[in-house]
């Protein structure tokens, strides 16, 4: 695979076989980001679980201390007082059947997170086949089905991220922007890893965190020493 000149220069700063402490890894991820835009930094964590089994699912959400660097557009399904609370908290879109129809008829996806009050899930359930594959379906585990929709909106706007296993038992999650600098990225990295370790299913056997890699949008992958994480 051909890599550009900038990538090749950045890659020279990273030892392929080395396992870095989280602090070193965050320093490196900032140094190796050379794109002209503010790159997103992501963490990719492979777990020793089997996502095909419900008892070994790992999923949750956490508010990253310095935020994500991205403004999330929030859609809320709520009515009455809850709808007013969501609007006051800064939700971008609030509605009921009107939004369900808009999504169904117009294939509308101009939002990043969907929140619903519990009494609206009968309506929102009709969108399962549409929102599910995009990872947008509200769920109690992620804190996006909640009677306190205003708090959910506040958390998301403050930098809440959802983490969940994919089919290959890897969690992919953003932890901020390169412009944050290594200290804020380290804070977010530690917060996310701490949440993942805490979420270890009791059914998980053997080594829980198999590997951990951080990378910026256009930069090389940097391996983190996972022996120090669990």
């Amino acid at each position: 695979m051909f890599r550009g000149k900038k990538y090749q220069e950045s890659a020279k700063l990273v030892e392929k076989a080395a396992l870095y402490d989280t602090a070193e890894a965050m320093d490196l991820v900032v140094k190796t980001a050379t794109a002209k835009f503010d790159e997103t930094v992501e963490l990719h964590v492979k777990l020793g679980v089997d996502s095909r089994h419900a008892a070994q699912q790992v999923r949750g959400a956490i508010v990253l201390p310095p935020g994500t660097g991205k403004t999330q557009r929030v859609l809320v399904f709520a009515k009455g007082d809850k709808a007013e609370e969501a609007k006051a908290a800064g939700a971008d879109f609030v509605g009921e059947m009107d939004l369900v129809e808009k999504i169904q008829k117009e294939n509308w996806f101009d939002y990043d997170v969907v929140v619903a009050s519990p009494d609206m899930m009968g309506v929102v359930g009709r969108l399962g086949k549409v929102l599910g594959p995009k990872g947008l379906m509200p769920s109690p585990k992620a804190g996006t089905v909640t009677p306190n929709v205003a708090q959910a909106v506040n958390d998301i706007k403050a930098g809440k991220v959802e983490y969940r296993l994919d089919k290959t038992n890897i969690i992919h999650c953003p932890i901020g922007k390169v412009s944050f600098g290594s200290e804020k990225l380290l804070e977010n990295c530690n917060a996310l890893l701490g949440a993942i370790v805490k979420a270890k299913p009791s059914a998980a056997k053997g080594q829980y965190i198999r590997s951990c890699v951080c990378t910026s949008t256009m930069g090389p992958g940097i391996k983190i020493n996972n022996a120090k994480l669990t």
Side-chain angles (χ1 to χ4, degrees):
M1 185 179 178
F2 175 75
R3 298 286 193 178
K5 204 173 183 180
K6 281 186 178 177
Y7 179 94
Q8 288 176 19
E9 288 301 312
S10 295
K12 286 177 187 173
L13 300 173
V14 182
E15 286 181 49
K16 274 190 179 179
L19 294 174
Y20 294 93
D21 286 345
T22 44
E24 288 178 298
M26 294 308 119
D27 281 339
L28 269 175
V29 84
V30 172
K31 283 176 189 167
T32 55
T34 54
K36 288 179 181 174
F37 61 91
D38 192 7
E39 297 178 53
T40 296
V41 176
E42 285 191 348
L43 209 57
H44 305 275
V45 187
K46 185 169 181 64
L47 299 181
V49 294
D50 188 343
S51 60
R52 292 172 299 177
H53 300 292
Q56 294 188 45
Q57 272 294 340
V58 178
R59 181 179 184 178
I62 181 175
V63 177
L64 296 176
T68 61
K70 182 186 176 187
T71 305
Q72 300 274 50
R73 295 164 300 173
V74 186
L75 181 155
V76 178
F77 286 102
K79 56 188 174 186
D81 291 346
K82 300 280 183 205
E84 293 309 310
E85 287 169 19
K87 286 174 188 171
D92 300 87
F93 310 100
V94 182
E96 303 174 49
M97 266 314 290
D98 54 329
L99 291 182
V100 172
E101 286 171 7
K102 186 175 171 70
I103 291 167
Q104 286 175 328
K105 291 175 183 175
E106 299 174 28
N107 215 21
W108 175 64
F109 296 107
D110 292 340
Y111 41 88
D112 304 295
V113 185
V114 180
V115 173
S117 58
D119 60 330
M120 292 301 295
M121 283 310 290
V123 173
V124 180
R126 301 176 195 187
L127 297 169
K129 287 182 180 174
V130 186
L131 297 180
K134 291 183 178 289
L136 289 168
M137 193 65 184
S139 88
K141 271 192 176 178
T144 44
V145 175
T146 172
N148 195 344
V149 290
Q151 184 62 52
V153 173
N154 284 329
D155 285 348
I156 292 161
K157 294 285 185 181
K160 185 178 185 178
V161 291
E162 186 182 351
Y163 57 88
R164 60 190 298 183
L165 283 178
D166 68 6
K167 287 176 182 174
T168 60
N169 305 314
I170 298 173
I171 289 172
H172 310 271
C173 200
I175 56 168
K177 298 282 188 180
V178 166
S179 60
F180 279 23
S182 56
E183 280 185 27
K184 284 185 178 178
L185 288 171
L186 178 62
E187 203 178 335
N188 279 350
C189 176
N190 287 339
L192 177 61
L193 288 171
I196 292 170
V197 169
K198 217 173 182 178
K200 180 180 179 179
S202 54
K205 298 285 181 270
Q207 190 181 359
Y208 179 51
I209 294 184
R210 294 280 174 88
S211 67
C212 183
V213 176
C214 71
T215 178
S216 61
T217 308
M218 307 293 284
I222 298 156
K223 294 173 185 171
I224 293 172
N225 187 353
N226 54 301
K228 298 184 178 183
L229 302 178
T230 46

